Amino acid sequence: MEIIKTAIDGVLIIEPKVFGDKRGYFFESFSQREFDEKVAPILGHTINFVQDNESMSSYGVMRGLHFQRPPYTQSKLVRCVKGAVLDVAVDIRKGSPTYGQHVAVELTEDNHRQFFVPRGFAHGFAVLSETAVFQYKCDEFYHPEADGGISIIDDSLGIDWKIPTDLANLSDKDTKHALLKDFDSPFDINVSLY
């Protein structure tokens, strides 16, 4: 796999090596050994994934921007196995030089890209295709009492979601998250999250 660094340290795009022929294709979607060899040195620590999740959504669905509060904060390794999504990670670590900035990447069933979202980031995505099946690995189990979020429709974040706002399909829960300017982050760049 090829590791692509982004404008924010620790946020990574991962491109697997795909072997294709007239029958179709094959690739390793995850190898702990290769992840440890190629990603851990960039991060400065290993990641142990403990839970896999999958969601299916239709065009215009926007989910996020979610995170789990300490001590249950999560890293995520996400990918789109059917359709296409715009996936976004927003730095919400107080004191970070990139606080409030984001990285956006299009994940599709054709490009097979994966996106690593570290702890201390809010995560969300918008469905760009008729339907999308989205999978993600987490390095902490889900704890509903630790749910957190910032508004996915906060214009101050400067995210181009690639879908018209009037076509966005949001959950009631996601429309109630605070704007970044009103948000008191539980993360601090000077406190290790790992």
Side-chain angles (χ1 to χ4, degrees):
M1 64 184 180
E2 180 184 354
I3 310 300
I4 302 167
K5 294 181 181 180
T6 68
I8 300 180
D9 284 344
V11 179
L12 305 170
I13 298 167
I14 299 171
E15 290 186 341
K17 185 169 185 174
V18 180
F19 301 93
D21 61 25
K22 64 183 179 184
R23 299 168 298 164
Y25 67 83
F26 169 85
F27 70 95
E28 287 184 358
S29 60
F30 181 75
S31 162
Q32 187 70 56
R33 178 180 53 220
E34 192 170 12
F35 196 85
D36 288 347
E37 289 171 1
K38 295 185 176 178
V39 176
I42 295 169
L43 301 176
H45 53 81
T46 59
I47 300 289
N48 180 34
F49 294 108
V50 298
Q51 181 174 320
D52 284 6
N53 301 318
E54 180 174 300
S55 68
M56 190 281 294
S57 306
S58 57
Y59 175 79
V61 167
M62 295 172 68
R63 297 182 186 268
L65 293 157
H66 302 146
F67 60 88
Q68 283 194 168
R69 289 182 168 78
Y72 303 116
T73 188
Q74 296 176 319
S75 298
K76 296 177 181 174
L77 180 62
V78 302
R79 67 189 186 116
C80 183
V81 296
K82 179 182 179 191
V85 302
L86 182 75
D87 202 76
V88 175
V90 178
D91 188 350
I92 55 171
R93 299 168 297 167
K94 290 178 186 174
S96 170
T98 54
Y99 181 82
Q101 294 179 29
H102 71 277
V103 174
V105 61
E106 194 168 319
L107 305 175
T108 74
E109 65 182 287
D110 295 323
N111 70 21
H112 306 289
R113 282 182 154 188
Q114 298 181 38
F115 193 42
F116 179 75
V117 181
R119 295 176 179 188
F121 284 74
H123 169 256
F125 66 91
V127 177
L128 307 178
S129 53
E130 185 178 339
T131 60
V133 176
F134 190 76
Q135 293 182 340
Y136 53 108
K137 303 177 96 50
C138 301
D139 70 344
E140 175 58 70
F141 296 106
Y142 175 63
H143 294 270
E145 71 278 14
D147 270 350
I150 58 173
S151 177
I152 197 166
I153 52 175
D154 184 345
D155 290 338
S156 76
L157 297 173
I159 301 169
D160 176 3
W161 288 102
K162 309 243 183 251
I163 58 172
T165 306
D166 60 332
L167 295 179
N169 184 351
L170 303 164
S171 72
D172 287 341
K173 174 182 155 186
D174 286 350
T175 62
K176 294 180 172 86
H177 294 309
L179 299 175
L180 186 66
K181 69 179 180 67
D182 302 320
F183 173 66
D184 183 20
S185 179
F187 306 109
D188 188 304
I189 191 71
N190 297 309
V191 177
S192 176
L193 296 173
Y194 290 94

